Amino acid sequence: MTSAREQYGETTDTRSAAAGREAAVTTRGLPEWLGPVARAAATVEPRQLSRFLPPEHGGRQSAVLILFGHGTRGPELLLMERAGTLRSHAGQPSFPGGSLDPQDGDPEGPGPVRAALREAQEETGLDPSGVQVFGVLPRLYIPVSGFVVTPVLGWWRVPSPVGAVDQGETARVFTVPVADLTDPAHRVTTRHPSGHVGPAFLVENALVWGFTAGVIDRILHYAGWEIPWDRDKQVPLDWRS
């Protein structure tokens, strides 16, 4: 697997990718607590993240921004809740993100980083110039929607105000302390009527499940932050999920 530093180049340029400038990826100057995440991102293999990997051909190229910040309760993640009226993944908490546009550039190069920052700005009002991209995870696949997703890791070096920019797409934008994500009391397993079983989190009055929860679960595991939790504690989903 090509690491983010090999693919994008280690650089100290952290200017706004959303403004069409260089899509920089660098680990320089990260807070010490993010070190385990950066190291895991540089070595993790696709099969270690998910059993759903992109097909050789086809799929809708997209990217999400996994943005770590530091709030009043320590390290935290930025999430959003999709509007309940959307045709795809309605009402689900998710990372900001979406499909690559032609102006984002090469999907095999800087395109996913640019798309993740652009989409985050469009959905949450985030100022991408305050984000330092420090890693890019292997592309994953969401079979139900056909999305080929590149998770982009960011450090919210200079926080900016965020909120739901378009209520037709985003119900709310919120942060979740990493301490809550690792707390066994907030961890459950979801079971879909289709038979799919996966990790989930009960945080901030939301059930985070599916692709988003799966990626968070693997980041916590490979960063060494995971605390043993009861995998037999299940939450059933319905067919509308």
Side-chain angles (χ1 to χ4, degrees):
M1 183 193 75
T2 302
S3 72
R5 284 191 288 276
E6 292 171 330
Q7 182 175 358
Y8 296 91
E10 180 78 14
T11 174
T12 56
D13 184 356
T14 56
R15 295 173 296 173
S16 171
R21 299 171 180 170
E22 184 64 26
V25 178
T26 178
T27 58
R28 297 190 179 112
L30 285 181
E32 186 177 350
W33 59 266
L34 264 178
V37 180
R39 289 189 290 273
T43 59
V44 70
E45 298 288 341
R47 287 280 179 197
Q48 293 177 300
L49 294 175
S50 175
R51 62 188 178 92
F52 298 114
L53 302 183
E56 290 188 16
H57 305 286
R60 301 168 62 186
Q61 295 293 330
S62 63
V64 295
L65 180 64
I66 304 175
L67 185 59
F68 289 89
H70 198 281
T72 57
R73 294 184 53 207
E76 60 186 16
L77 270 179
L78 179 71
L79 295 177
M80 50 176 271
E81 186 176 310
R82 295 170 59 83
T85 54
L86 291 175
R87 293 172 57 188
S88 177
H89 307 294
Q92 273 191 248
S94 66
F95 302 118
S99 299
L100 270 67
D101 285 348
Q103 65 265 30
D104 294 322
D106 186 1
E108 301 292 334
V113 173
R114 290 177 177 150
L117 291 171
R118 175 183 54 76
E119 286 282 345
Q121 183 178 34
E122 293 174 0
E123 293 175 330
T124 73
L126 170 80
D127 181 356
S129 67
V131 175
Q132 175 182 335
V133 175
F134 67 90
V136 180
L137 296 177
R139 280 184 298 228
L140 304 174
Y141 189 55
I142 304 180
V144 68
S145 58
F147 278 110
V148 176
V149 186
T150 301
V152 175
L153 298 168
W155 157 234
W156 209 352
R157 180 177 290 280
V158 182
S160 53
V162 292
V165 174
D166 183 352
Q167 291 286 342
E169 293 189 359
T170 307
R172 64 173 174 141
V173 177
F174 58 100
T175 56
V176 180
V178 171
D180 285 350
L181 294 168
T182 59
D183 186 344
H186 296 159
R187 304 212 56 180
V188 296
T189 297
T190 52
R191 179 177 291 276
H192 194 273
S194 65
H196 176 72
V197 175
F201 303 84
L202 290 165
V203 289
E204 301 298 324
N205 298 313
L207 174 65
V208 182
W209 65 284
F211 174 84
T212 302
V215 174
I216 293 174
D217 172 77
R218 294 296 80 196
I219 289 175
L220 297 180
H221 176 76
Y222 288 110
W225 293 350
E226 185 178 33
I227 299 173
W229 54 285
D230 183 4
R231 298 174 186 270
D232 292 328
K233 182 180 176 182
Q234 290 196 356
V235 172
L237 301 171
D238 59 34
W239 281 108
R240 294 171 296 177
S241 301

